[in-house]
Amino acid sequence: RTLHLHNYNGYWLSTKILKSNLLIHAYFKSQPTDIFLASFMKSGTTWLKALVFSTLNRDRYTFSNHHLHNHSPHSIIPVIDAESYHITDFTNLSAPRLFSTHYPLPLLPACMSCAKLVYVCRDPKDVLVSKWLFMSKLRSKDLPPLSFDEAFELFCVGASEYGPFWEHVLSYWRASLENPDKILFLKYEEMKKEPEMVVRKLAAFLGKAVTVEEEEKGVVREIVKLCSFENLSNLEVNKTGVEKFGKVLDVEKRDFFRKGVIGDWKNYLSDEMKERIDGITDEKFKGSGLTFTTV
Ligand code: A3P
């Protein structure tokens, strides 16, 4: 059932995503002004894309007539993992170029570490549920769907696209401690609880700290409102049609917006399953200084 995944340097990738990784290593040229948004899939990538784009471009658009109203975050910020993107075309984008990736840090070419990177992580229990529901839709096109029990088991042993989850998170966490000016580490849960604080953090990290004048005008609040689940998920551009990732992968745009809450895992995981995942998290993160405020 998992045969479509390859273990490549300790991480599980599909053939397509593995091919693309080889292409990136061969051809992608990073620029010092590049900004990468990295995440394990289903950890809040779409939201982070919207937040970073609107924070960086807050002088360029008015909030009532914003670029995000008719462009999906995924069409604004390309994912470099998609095999058939013409990687060399990226050279035409104006600086700072924004890219996203689900690759763990060890699978990114070394040159990318010169650029700035924002990582978002999320409680693995919510990631698992979100990913299973999302992948069930994708898998149904070419592979038989996995039951939740099967997906749970595979996730726990790490054999899940881009997994193991814990090593993925730790790769960026450790690097962010060593290099806080280059890597900003965020948590989905803190974004939900204190979105304004996160926008200020992002702005400062990206070299465009929020000014007193902007604070007085309520710019931070506007960004948070614009990028909220309620707002983005109700935009026509995010509701209808497909998102194309390279030539092969089409995803319904609305599938990137499901519930957008903390703790939906309670509707899917038994007590035993919760204990098992939390146990793995405690063990893997022990001594790293990284904790999750799990609910
Ligand atoms: P759920 O399936 O738990 O609802 P990604 O963007 O990395 O694919 O992650 C998708 C998850 O983020 C989904 O989680 C989705 O609903 C949630 N999400 C998307 N946009 C969001 C937003 N603006 N605010 C909060 N959560 C959001």
Side-chain angles (χ1 to χ4, degrees):
R1 291 276 216 155
T2 51
L3 279 183
H4 72 295
L5 296 181
H6 310 271
N7 191 310
Y8 180 62
N9 293 339
Y11 289 93
W12 292 92
L13 305 178
S14 68
T15 307
K16 241 173 4 220
I17 300 294
L18 171 54
K19 263 197 204 162
S20 147
N21 195 262
L22 301 174
L23 282 174
I24 290 164
H25 275 83
Y27 298 112
F28 187 82
K29 301 249 181 309
S30 156
Q31 297 174 2
T33 48
D34 285 347
I35 298 167
F36 289 91
L37 310 183
S39 55
F40 189 88
M41 56 184 295
K42 311 326 284 176
S43 299
T45 324
T46 315
W47 189 15
L48 181 65
K49 284 183 178 187
L51 284 170
V52 167
F53 178 78
S54 50
T55 300
L56 270 179
N57 293 287
R58 59 191 192 267
D59 305 329
R60 235 171 105 192
Y61 304 106
T62 60
F63 289 104
S64 54
N65 185 19
H66 201 277
H67 199 61
L68 275 168
H69 286 166
N70 38 30
H71 295 83
S72 103
H74 295 289
S75 70
I76 299 176
I77 303 183
V79 55
I80 55 163
D81 314 15
E83 180 204 339
S84 46
Y85 268 124
H86 296 288
I87 287 166
T88 43
D89 287 355
F90 293 149
T91 44
N92 298 328
L93 300 176
S94 54
R97 303 186 306 176
L98 290 166
F99 298 110
S100 79
T101 182
H102 291 317
Y103 290 126
L105 193 57
L107 296 192
L108 285 184
C111 62
M112 289 184 193
S113 56
C114 340
K116 288 214 180 217
L117 189 147
V118 183
Y119 185 78
V120 59
C121 78
R122 187 182 188 189
D123 182 334
K125 303 191 288 305
D126 282 332
V127 169
L128 163 65
V129 169
S130 182
K131 182 168 183 286
W132 176 66
L133 293 167
F134 183 81
M135 293 307 287
S136 302
K137 297 189 177 167
L138 289 190
R139 285 180 73 94
S140 59
K141 290 184 194 149
D142 44 3
L143 290 162
L146 289 175
S147 68
F148 186 67
D149 284 356
E150 286 170 315
F152 173 82
E153 197 53 43
L154 290 169
F155 188 85
C156 285
V157 299
S160 152
E161 290 80 359
Y162 299 99
F165 169 85
W166 295 273
E167 276 72 8
H168 195 288
V169 175
L170 281 172
S171 70
Y172 286 99
W173 169 251
R174 294 207 172 100
S176 75
L177 294 180
E178 280 165 23
N179 223 336
D181 296 338
K182 295 279 184 198
I183 302 188
L184 178 66
F185 190 95
L186 298 175
K187 296 176 187 168
Y188 182 93
E189 292 74 18
E190 76 172 328
M191 286 159 68
K192 283 296 283 191
K193 285 182 191 144
E194 292 190 86
E196 295 195 8
M197 189 268 287
V198 168
V199 168
R200 289 187 191 101
K201 234 195 230 185
L202 270 175
F205 175 75
L206 298 171
K208 261 190 104 175
V210 178
T211 63
V212 177
E213 210 178 34
E214 285 178 316
E215 287 288 5
E216 281 166 6
K217 281 200 270 174
V219 169
V220 175
R221 207 175 326 120
E222 290 287 356
I223 293 174
V224 168
K225 203 167 85 189
L226 173 72
C227 301
S228 68
F229 182 86
E230 290 65 33
N231 188 50
L232 291 185
S233 61
N234 282 313
L235 294 172
E236 211 45 46
V237 66
N238 293 324
K239 277 204 287 204
T240 42
V242 295
E243 199 66 64
K244 289 202 165 297
F245 293 99
K247 280 185 205 135
V248 208
L249 189 60
D250 288 353
V251 181
E252 301 266 355
K253 290 183 174 190
R254 62 166 180 266
D255 290 340
F256 286 99
F257 301 92
R258 194 182 62 89
K259 277 197 176 172
V261 298
I262 300 174
D264 191 41
W265 61 264
K266 287 178 187 153
N267 297 315
Y268 295 83
L269 272 76
S270 64
D271 290 350
E272 220 168 83
M273 286 169 152
K274 176 214 184 275
E275 290 305 318
R276 177 144 169 230
I277 292 214
D278 284 351
I280 299 173
T281 305
D282 288 348
E283 193 193 309
K284 298 259 188 184
F285 289 178
K286 199 161 70 191
S288 71
L290 177 59
T291 52
F292 276 116
T293 15
T294 54
V295 286

